[in-house]
Amino acid sequence: MRSLILLAFVGLAAQLVDGALGMAYGVTSTTLLLAIGTNPAAASATIHLSEIGTTLVSGLSHWRFGNVDWKVVLRIGVPGAVGAFLGAYVLSNLATDVAKPVMSAILLALGIYILIRFTLFGLRKDRLGLPLRKRFLAPLGLFAGFVDATGGGGWGPVGTPALLASGRIEPRKVIGSIDTSEFLVAIAASLGFLIALGTQGINPAWVAALLLGGIIAAPIAAWLVRKIPGRILGSAVGGLIVLTNVRTLLRSDWVGLGDTPAEGLILAAIALVWAGAVVWSVRAYRLELALEAATVTVDDEAMLDVETVGAARPAG
């Protein structure tokens, strides 16, 4: 019972992050399931089954708050579903001792990308309104869907930064569209796992617990997407994913440093980098706010000067 309550809180926390940032539900949840010894394919299947419900509620919530671009949803979601089905088949046919470090390596790469992307670069806003083309969205969706199924997460970490980096759609609609299109990806990946695995290794109670937590969090996250600084949240989540998956890899047969002083030193160093990244993001976000406020003040003063000169100029 205690583990089910913990999983419900994991689902709630992961969905809060995912709904506010457009990523990390699958990556965060799968990372934790792997940490407690779950089979990689079963972990990914469990997450994707729970995501059918959470992404549906999340998508509806984002739609209600005006955070969804339906053209983007279809153009990236359908190829994403194809990629997810293929990824589920590939992961289901890998041996567990091979699949676990492979999945952790994928999650680690995604975590590093999230950490660097949001800590150092923030969000790009100078190309809003330019159209997103099918030849960009379709390959992106196919690749992101494949990574999502094989890594137990990755739809958001691949899709959200790519759309944000394009600068052609405002951040809240990037997040809402990615979360909504993930419903198609979750269905396709779940079908792939059920066809390949049946229900082997899938615990319905775990699915239900994650689903319950995610459903509670989804509408809250859709509202918070306008409130929480994505840069800070991205650094925090990225660091957590990196730390957890480095630990998994260190304890794998690939590296073999589990329960050694070297493991402790490496994890401590990563924790320090993680803390520094969060502090950096907080300071960068505050600087952005200060610069925006200064720009508004300067613009207002310039307008006031123009109005003053105009009023003082003699008529005729």
Side-chain angles (χ1 to χ4, degrees):
M1 185 63 185
R2 186 176 298 174
S3 62
L4 292 180
I5 294 174
L6 176 61
L7 282 172
F9 276 109
V10 168
L12 189 149
Q15 184 59 45
L16 276 176
V17 173
D18 188 271
L21 190 58
M23 65 178 71
Y25 178 88
V27 177
T28 303
S29 302
T30 304
T31 293
L32 294 174
L33 286 181
L34 286 179
I36 62 176
T38 309
N39 174 285
S44 188
T46 299
I47 297 304
H48 283 94
L49 283 168
S50 68
E51 281 185 323
I52 293 176
T54 58
T55 55
L56 177 61
V57 176
S58 181
L60 290 173
S61 301
H62 277 296
W63 169 65
R64 289 291 300 275
F65 284 101
N67 297 336
V68 178
D69 185 322
W70 289 105
K71 289 183 179 179
V72 173
V73 169
L74 292 175
R75 291 177 179 177
I76 198 172
V78 173
V82 175
F85 186 87
L86 295 174
Y89 178 81
V90 169
L91 182 60
S92 298
N93 286 278
L94 285 178
T96 300
D97 57 344
V98 174
K100 190 168 184 177
V102 167
M103 182 182 283
S104 291
I106 293 173
L107 294 170
L108 174 59
L110 292 172
I112 292 172
Y113 182 79
I114 294 170
L115 184 64
I116 294 174
R117 179 72 182 84
F118 284 89
T119 301
L120 298 182
F121 302 104
L123 304 175
R124 187 170 183 177
K125 302 177 182 178
D126 61 341
R127 298 168 68 185
L128 288 177
L130 295 177
L132 286 163
R133 298 178 180 179
K134 289 182 181 178
R135 64 185 183 186
F136 167 69
L137 292 175
L140 175 64
L142 186 68
F143 176 70
F146 184 85
V147 171
D148 188 79
T150 55
W155 178 252
V158 174
T160 297
L163 293 185
L164 287 174
S166 74
R168 300 187 177 209
I169 177 173
E170 55 185 305
R172 68 183 181 89
K173 288 198 172 183
V174 169
I175 293 168
S177 300
I178 287 292
D179 274 6
T180 303
S181 59
E182 193 171 11
F183 175 67
L184 301 175
V185 174
I187 291 176
S190 297
L191 287 174
F193 283 119
L194 290 174
I195 290 172
L197 295 174
T199 58
Q200 179 183 354
I202 299 174
N203 189 327
W206 289 12
V207 175
L210 288 167
L211 177 60
L212 177 62
I215 287 176
I216 293 171
I220 301 172
W223 175 75
L224 286 176
V225 72
R226 302 184 182 190
K227 307 295 181 181
I228 297 179
R231 184 169 194 164
I232 297 171
L233 196 55
S235 296
V237 172
L240 174 63
I241 294 166
V242 169
L243 183 68
T244 308
N245 286 287
V246 166
R247 178 178 177 272
T248 300
L249 286 172
L250 290 175
R251 297 189 172 195
S252 71
D253 292 338
W254 286 8
V255 181
L257 290 179
D259 297 320
T260 65
E263 179 193 29
L265 289 173
I266 292 170
L267 295 180
I270 292 173
L272 287 174
V273 172
W274 178 18
V278 173
V279 171
W280 178 284
S281 291
V282 170
R283 291 180 176 176
Y285 175 69
R286 289 178 177 174
L287 179 59
E288 288 173 1
L289 291 181
L291 290 174
E292 288 177 4
T295 300
V296 171
T297 301
V298 169
D299 289 344
D300 289 345
E301 290 178 352
M303 183 62 69
L304 181 61
D305 290 342
V306 170
E307 291 175 353
T308 303
V309 169
R313 184 177 298 166

